């Protein structure tokens, strides 16, 4: 590795912060960044990941200047900072809450959004003055100053994932902030005590930490399987559901399995050999021939990234990224999935759901000991299919053409309680009571 990559490290020092990193080495050809970092219990790790925007020397300098300025200039401390995935989207609950805050006169609310996002120019003129461009000096100063963060993803999405920057890492682990996690989907599928979800543990903050849930059942899941304090959980429903729409003439058959993280490396080498891809092929083959023109495959973003440049025999059925999930779900009449939380969104709108569980046990074993699916054959809000090859055309057509059954509606409403379009109202009132706004 080239010169200048150093880390001060003492093997006997077990009380040092885990935020320290060495200098970084950016490989522009491969688009990767490598660095040493000091992890928990003084472990020294070497990391290589995709290069992110804040790795650039100019951005690192801006971050250092912004951090220094916020220590002496008392501005932006009252800012309420909102964001969505990678600060590059404007389509989920954070955008709904942001607009409500502005509508109610909270002019200290700001939304971080990349100027490269396709959503940037679609934001209504009323709210555009309150957007903050990602990677701007204002963005960095607000990131270091803001007391309250409200987002649909973990806090790192407010700047960049896996930062190799000590100042940023320390800010992300700060305990004196308020944080409202809106969730990007109902968290009632893979159990929260799964070994693979160690990242999803209760935050220890001196500020106020709250999580939005959709029912007492989902709240209990956080408490019983995730170890969360009941007082940190809001039962109000996801704000984005207030804007959910469904076209009465919807006719798409959407296929979307959950990402299987244990197959990422395999997907990068031979994605058509992964069980993720085989699930998609199985779902396509289950659709009657005369309806296959209605199919649209919604691959997980990481799957799309891993499969890029590889031959895909079904590529014409894959969504190319030009449409938002909202636009597709408005046109979806039937969703086929394994256990993706997008099933809750699709069903809420009016679509039926088919759960294909032909390899469920094998997948749960990959998630780690103790992992369970929170729904089963008796509580699933759609037909469960364990052998898609035995699914008859008649059974498929009933799921595609028929209305949602009363039994499935009853099961769904145990998990997603609210269907009145007032989730945002309830959230705003709860945040007011806690002094967050």
């Amino acid at each position: 590795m080239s010169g200048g990559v150093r880390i001060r490290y003492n093997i006997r020092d077990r009380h040092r912060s885990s935020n320290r990193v060495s200098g970084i080495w950016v490989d522009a050809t491969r688009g990767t960044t490598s660095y040493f970092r000091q992890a928990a219990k003084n472990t020294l790790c070497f990391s290589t990941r995709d290069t992110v925007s804040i790795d650039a020397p100019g951005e690192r300098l801006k971050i250092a200047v912004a951090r220094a300025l916020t220590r002496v200039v008392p501005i932006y401390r009252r800012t309420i900072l909102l964001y969505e995935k990678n600060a590059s989207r404007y389509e989920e609950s954070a955008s709904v809450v942001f607009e409500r805050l502005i509508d109610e006169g909270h002019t200290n609310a700001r939304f971080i959004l990349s100027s490269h996002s396709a959503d940037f120019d679609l934001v209504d003129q009323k709210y555009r003055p309150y957007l903050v461009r990602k990677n701007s000096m204002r963005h960095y100063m607000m990131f270091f100053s803001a007391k309250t963060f409200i987002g649909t993803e973990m806090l790192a999405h407010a700047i960049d994932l896996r930062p190799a920057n000590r100042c940023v890492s320390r800010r992300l682990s700060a305990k004196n902030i308020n944080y409202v996690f809106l969730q990007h989907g109902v968290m009632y599928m893979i159990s929260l005590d799964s070994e693979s979800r160690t990242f999803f543990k209760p935050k220890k903050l001196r500020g106020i930490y709250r999580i939005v849930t959709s029912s007492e059942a989902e709240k209990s899941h956080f408490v019983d399987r995730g170890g969360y304090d009941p007082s940190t959980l809001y039962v109000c429903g996801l704000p984005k559901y207030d804007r959910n729409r469904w076209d009465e003439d919807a006719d798409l058959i959407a296929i979307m399995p959950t990402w299987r993280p244990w197959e990422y490396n395999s997907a990068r080498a031979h994605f058509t050999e992964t069980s993720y891809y085989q699930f998609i092929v199985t779902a396509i083959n289950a659709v009657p021939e005369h309806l296959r023109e209605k199919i649209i495959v919604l691959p997980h973003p990481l799957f799309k990234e891993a499969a890029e440049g590889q031959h895909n025999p079904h590529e014409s059925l894959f969504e190319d990224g030009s449409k938002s999930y909202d636009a597709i779900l408005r046109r979806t009449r039937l969703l086929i999935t394994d256990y993706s939380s997008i099933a809750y969104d699709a069903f809420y709108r009016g679509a039926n759901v088919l759960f294909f569980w032909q390899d469920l046990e094998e997948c749960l074993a990959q998630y780690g000991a103790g992992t369970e699916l929170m729904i089963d054959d008796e509580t699933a809000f759609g037909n469960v299919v364990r052998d898609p090859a035995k699914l008859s055309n008649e059974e498929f057509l009933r799921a595609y053409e028929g209305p949602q059954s009363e039994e499935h509606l009853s099961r769904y409403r145990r998990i997603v309680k609210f269907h009145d379009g007032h989730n945002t109202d309830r959230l705003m009132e709860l945040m007011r009571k806690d002094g967050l706004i």
Side-chain angles (χ1 to χ4, degrees):
M1 188 174 295
S2 60
V5 180
R6 298 181 298 172
I7 182 171
R8 294 179 180 177
Y9 184 80
N10 185 339
I11 196 170
R12 295 176 297 177
D13 186 354
R14 293 187 170 272
H15 303 287
R16 289 287 187 182
S17 163
S18 61
N19 294 318
R20 288 191 296 175
V21 298
S22 68
I24 63 172
W25 181 61
V26 178
D27 187 333
T29 303
R30 294 187 174 90
T32 59
T33 296
S34 302
Y35 55 93
F36 289 99
R37 63 184 176 87
Q38 184 179 12
K41 297 182 180 179
N42 210 34
T43 303
L44 182 64
C45 300
F46 178 72
S47 295
T48 297
R49 55 151 173 77
D50 291 339
T51 298
V52 296
S53 59
I54 63 173
D55 290 339
E59 298 305 316
R60 295 176 70 82
L61 176 60
K62 284 165 61 178
I63 288 171
V65 172
R67 180 70 185 103
L69 287 174
T70 57
R71 287 184 168 182
V72 296
V73 182
I75 59 175
Y76 301 139
R77 292 180 183 175
R78 292 184 59 254
T79 299
I80 301 172
L81 210 51
L82 298 98
Y83 61 93
E84 293 180 359
K85 192 174 185 68
N86 294 326
S88 62
R89 292 185 183 176
Y90 190 90
E91 62 180 8
E92 296 193 351
S93 290
S95 63
V96 178
V97 176
F98 166 66
E99 292 183 6
R100 175 62 65 84
L101 286 167
I102 299 303
D103 289 344
E104 292 189 0
H106 297 278
T107 55
N108 58 328
R110 296 291 185 274
F111 193 99
I112 309 166
L113 186 61
S114 171
S115 57
H116 301 295
S117 169
D119 296 333
F120 198 93
D121 292 330
L122 301 178
V123 178
D124 190 278
Q125 289 292 340
K126 177 180 179 180
Y127 308 109
R128 201 170 294 181
Y130 302 96
L131 295 181
V132 175
R133 293 178 185 270
K134 182 180 179 183
N135 301 129
S136 65
M137 182 62 76
R138 276 211 312 159
H139 170 206
Y140 295 144
M141 291 188 70
M142 288 181 178
F143 172 76
F144 286 113
S145 300
K147 178 71 173 179
T148 300
F149 291 79
I150 302 176
T152 56
E153 304 280 351
M154 60 184 180
L155 198 56
H157 285 262
I159 186 161
D160 258 327
L161 297 181
R162 298 182 65 189
N165 184 295
R166 186 180 183 186
C167 290
V168 171
S169 296
R170 292 183 69 176
R171 178 60 172 165
L172 291 174
S173 60
K175 301 185 184 304
N176 61 339
I177 62 173
N178 302 322
Y179 175 40
V180 180
F181 177 42
L182 300 174
Q183 297 201 65
H184 57 272
V186 178
M187 191 70 71
Y188 200 83
M189 281 293 187
I190 298 297
S191 58
L192 287 174
D193 53 1
S194 166
E195 290 179 359
S196 67
R197 292 196 160 187
T198 54
F199 69 93
F200 206 90
K201 295 299 180 184
K203 301 284 188 286
K204 296 180 180 179
L205 301 178
R206 292 193 294 272
I208 299 171
Y209 177 39
R210 297 291 183 266
I211 298 176
V212 169
T213 62
S214 295
S215 62
E216 290 297 331
E218 189 184 11
K219 176 180 178 179
S220 295
H221 177 214
F222 275 85
V223 174
D224 299 337
R225 307 299 288 266
Y228 283 78
D229 183 336
S231 67
T232 65
L233 300 160
Y234 286 156
V235 180
C236 61
L238 301 180
K240 72 173 183 176
Y241 280 13
D242 292 347
R243 294 188 180 176
N244 273 3
R245 300 292 182 269
W246 191 59
D247 297 340
E248 291 187 4
D249 61 346
D251 61 353
L252 293 180
I253 299 170
I255 298 172
M256 185 176 182
T258 302
W259 170 243
R260 304 178 182 197
W262 57 91
E263 291 193 322
Y264 182 69
N265 288 332
S266 299
R268 295 184 71 174
H270 305 287
F271 82 98
T272 57
E273 298 178 11
T274 63
S275 67
Y276 184 92
Y277 179 79
Q278 293 307 315
F279 177 99
I280 293 172
V281 173
T282 297
I284 291 172
N285 291 337
V287 178
E289 192 73 37
H290 72 283
L291 288 176
R292 292 190 182 175
E293 64 179 13
K294 305 293 186 181
I295 293 175
I296 184 167
V297 179
L298 302 177
H300 189 283
L302 288 176
F303 178 87
K304 288 181 68 174
E305 174 189 303
E308 188 173 351
Q310 298 186 51
H311 175 61
N312 177 2
H314 296 287
E315 187 171 1
S316 62
L317 301 178
F318 279 55
E319 202 284 312
D320 61 6
S322 62
K323 298 179 181 177
S324 68
Y325 279 6
D326 177 69
I328 293 169
L329 290 177
R330 287 186 183 193
R331 300 288 309 160
T332 296
R333 187 162 201 86
L334 178 66
L335 174 74
I336 302 176
T337 187
D338 43 10
Y339 37 81
S340 171
S341 64
I342 202 172
Y344 290 103
D345 197 327
F347 193 91
Y348 185 98
R349 296 168 188 259
N352 278 320
V353 179
L354 281 177
F355 292 101
F356 279 14
W357 288 352
Q358 69 269 28
D359 58 356
L360 177 61
E361 286 70 26
E362 292 88 341
C363 288
L364 292 179
Q366 292 287 347
Y367 277 107
T371 301
E372 294 183 51
L373 195 62
M374 298 305 296
I375 58 175
D376 56 28
D377 297 72
E378 305 301 320
T379 59
F381 48 94
N383 292 338
V384 173
V385 180
R386 293 187 179 274
D387 187 352
K390 294 182 179 180
L391 184 66
S392 69
N393 281 5
E394 291 75 17
E395 290 173 316
F396 190 96
L397 287 175
R398 281 197 294 272
Y400 177 70
E401 297 176 348
Q404 295 175 330
S405 72
E406 288 300 322
E407 181 179 9
H408 290 160
L409 284 165
S410 176
R411 292 177 178 182
Y412 182 82
R413 287 173 180 166
R414 186 183 72 84
I415 307 169
V416 181
K417 175 182 178 181
F418 306 104
H419 295 77
D420 56 5
H422 294 293
N423 294 348
T424 309
D425 296 335
R426 281 182 287 271
L427 174 61
M428 295 293 287
E429 184 59 31
L430 289 165
M431 291 196 297
R432 271 190 287 269
K433 286 181 179 178
D434 281 337
L436 286 162
I437 58 175

